[in-house]
């Protein structure tokens, strides 16, 4: 019985670490039937997207543990878009923690995008 409880606790801790290091990042689409709100396009298939614009939401803490994952996922989403992405809209409404490492990563990422002529918009960010 103790081995079972210990295994369950260990598994729970591993899941917490995984969620902190690799939170979900989703592509958002506009749902006209719900008053033009934005929702996950995987869940809401009727979500409207716009050519050349990637609207993404990061769902978790953005910290030293997840900064590389954030950058990789965002690049994967940008490159897998059917159209060349010129504008990236990052929704940070679900980001409840942002540390110095993540801020530096964002600063470098935005500088790189600016050099390439890309633009970014940050709605829903928390102070």
């Amino acid at each position: 019985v103790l081995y079972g409880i210990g295994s369950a606790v260990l598994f729970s801790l591993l899941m917490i670490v995984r969620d902190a290091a690799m939170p979900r990042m989703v592509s958002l689409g506009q749902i006209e039937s719900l008053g033009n709100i934005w929702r996950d396009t995987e869940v809401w298939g009727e979500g409207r997207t716009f050519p050349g614009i990637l609207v993404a939401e990061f769902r978790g803490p953005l910290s030293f543990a997840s900064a590389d994952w954030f950058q990789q996922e965002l690049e994967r989403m940008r490159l897998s878009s059917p159209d060349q992405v010129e504008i990236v809209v990052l929704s940070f409404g679900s980001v409840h923690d942002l540390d110095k490492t993540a801020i530096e990563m964002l600063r470098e990422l935005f500088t790189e995008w600016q050099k390439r002529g890309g633009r970014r918009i940050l709605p829903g960010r928390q102070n």
Side-chain angles (χ1 to χ4, degrees):
V1 174
L2 290 178
Y3 290 116
I5 293 172
S7 297
V9 169
L10 180 61
F11 182 73
S12 295
L13 288 173
L14 290 173
M15 293 300 293
I16 290 170
V17 169
R18 182 191 166 280
D19 286 344
M22 299 180 345
R24 286 197 59 204
M25 182 178 283
V26 298
S27 177
L28 300 179
Q30 187 180 39
I31 312 295
E32 292 181 26
S33 64
L34 296 176
N36 292 324
I37 61 173
W38 294 78
R39 294 289 182 250
D40 182 353
T41 55
E42 286 183 18
V43 177
W44 296 83
E46 70 271 19
R48 180 176 175 210
T49 59
F50 299 88
I53 301 174
L54 171 64
V55 182
E57 181 176 61
F58 194 67
R59 296 185 170 174
L62 188 50
S63 64
F64 71 94
S66 61
D68 287 339
W69 172 256
F70 171 87
Q71 205 166 2
Q72 291 168 5
E73 274 298 288
L74 191 58
E75 190 66 8
R76 182 195 61 77
M77 291 173 74
R78 188 182 69 79
L79 293 175
S80 66
S81 177
D83 302 303
Q84 181 176 346
V85 175
E86 297 174 14
I87 300 173
V88 176
V89 180
L90 295 173
S91 173
F92 281 170
S94 296
V95 175
H96 56 275
D97 188 25
L98 192 66
D99 72 1
K100 187 176 183 341
T101 303
I103 292 170
E104 285 300 316
M105 180 273 303
L106 288 170
R107 184 175 291 135
E108 291 170 11
L109 186 64
F110 294 162
T111 300
E112 181 63 32
W113 285 350
Q114 194 170 18
K115 288 178 186 176
R116 291 187 285 178
R119 295 186 292 170
R120 78 269 179 211
I121 301 170
L122 301 170
R125 63 188 179 270
Q126 300 175 9
N127 293 330

